[in-house]
Amino acid sequence: MKIADVKANAFAMPLTSPAFPKGPYRFVNREFLVVTYRTDMDALRAVVPEPLEVTEPIVKYEFIRMPDSTGFGDYTESGQVIPVSFRGEKGGYVHSMYLNDHPPIAGGRELWGFPKKLATPILETEIDTLVGTLDYGKVRVAKATMGFKHGEADHKAVLAGLAAPSFLLKIIPHVDGTPRICELVRYFTTNVTLKGAWTGPASLELHPHALAPVADLPVLKVESALHYITDLTLDLGTVVYDYLDEKNKA
């Protein structure tokens, strides 16, 4: 293979059979269970990187069922999103994500910088209860329950939340182990169609684990829960801060 061919075809690893296709990436019937809870403010400040600012001691614990996603197939993920502010712009910092499918792990990490790790999340309905579980190996690290469609949620509020930006810390190392890329990335969801949104009573339990430390942001009080189904497109995002740029150093 000629050097020109490498340059022309280099998109993702491995060169001759990339782990994921080029976007855009469309998600159909994407189902969310989001439990919003109050946690320890010092614990939040310890994990949210500057220049993001923590605005309140709140975490959104999410289970997301994705049965139809462009290039990524059928999978489920689970993780934590922290409400933050970046230069006056409110959004969410994606702190942790665990999922059960290799292409979106590879694509999410390499393209956007999603903090994805391999695990076993499940979102399903058990009789009258929506149940989300996360196992890391054979160990249960998270479980959420919500009454199934007990009340209609405010669609305008849900759509406003989906329109807000999300932030990621993208890190790619050099061959010597030092960071070659260390960037704050902002992305949006677009072309959103909300198919339904509901509220209900909810619970959330998080268990300590050395390699899936979701319990490091402890549940002090469950504030609310939201269940919704949507179609959306995932924007590829932009770099809003470069940690390795000399101009950004204090």
Side-chain angles (χ1 to χ4, degrees), residues 215-237:
D216 285 0
L217 300 177
V219 180
L220 302 183
K221 180 185 178 183
V222 171
E223 296 287 348
S224 62
L226 183 63
H227 171 212
Y228 59 96
I229 299 173
T230 182
D231 297 347
L232 57 84
T233 300
L234 199 57
D235 168 46
L236 285 177

Side-chain angles (χ1 to χ4, degrees), residues 9-233:
N9 294 296
F11 161 68
M13 297 281 290
L15 173 64
T16 57
S17 179
F20 54 93
K22 293 182 178 180
Y25 303 96
R26 182 70 176 168
F27 297 82
V28 178
N29 291 327
R30 184 167 172 157
E31 183 177 15
F32 292 76
L33 167 59
V34 182
V35 179
T36 300
Y37 71 93
R38 188 168 295 273
T39 192
D40 179 77
M41 193 67 165
D42 290 336
L44 282 182
R45 291 194 178 109
V47 298
V48 174
E50 293 181 339
L52 297 177
E53 298 178 359
V54 179
T55 57
E56 54 186 336
I58 294 296
V59 180
K60 296 180 181 294
Y61 197 95
E62 301 184 347
F63 290 90
I64 310 174
R65 180 81 186 91
M66 285 164 279
D68 182 351
S69 54
T70 305
F72 297 143
D74 180 348
Y75 66 102
T76 304
E77 67 183 27
S78 178
Q80 292 160 306
V81 177
I82 300 169
V84 295
S85 176
F86 175 70
R87 296 173 178 169
E89 181 181 36
K90 292 185 177 180
Y93 171 62
V94 184
H95 171 57
S96 65
M97 300 187 82
Y98 301 89
L99 55 157
N100 58 355
D101 184 9
H102 175 253
I105 291 177
R109 289 168 64 107
E110 294 173 19
L111 286 171
W112 293 274
F114 279 105
K116 297 189 174 190
K117 298 181 75 172
L118 180 66
T120 308
I122 296 174
L123 178 60
E124 58 188 357
T125 303
E126 296 184 1
I127 309 175
D128 60 350
T129 308
L130 190 63
V131 180
T133 58
L134 173 63
D135 293 345
Y136 195 90
K138 297 180 180 180
V139 179
R140 176 64 45 86
V141 294
K143 181 177 182 179
T145 63
M146 175 181 169
F148 188 75
K149 297 184 179 181
H150 278 218
E152 192 80 13
D154 183 343
H155 282 214
K156 289 184 178 180
V158 176
L159 288 169
L162 287 167
S166 294
F167 298 94
L168 302 161
L169 181 58
K170 180 176 181 177
I171 303 170
I172 295 181
H174 203 293
V175 292
D176 63 1
T178 59
R180 183 163 188 170
I181 294 174
C182 189
E183 301 168 335
L184 188 65
V185 174
R186 177 178 59 202
Y187 75 93
F188 293 88
T189 55
T190 60
N191 302 316
V192 175
T193 300
L194 185 61
K195 297 183 174 181
W198 306 271
T199 61
S203 69
L204 176 65
E205 58 184 56
L206 305 178
H207 304 284
H209 192 291
L211 300 181
V214 294
D216 285 0
L217 300 177
V219 180
L220 302 183
K221 180 185 178 183
V222 171
E223 296 287 348
S224 62
L226 183 63
H227 171 212
Y228 59 96
I229 299 173
T230 182
D231 297 347
L232 57 84
T233 300

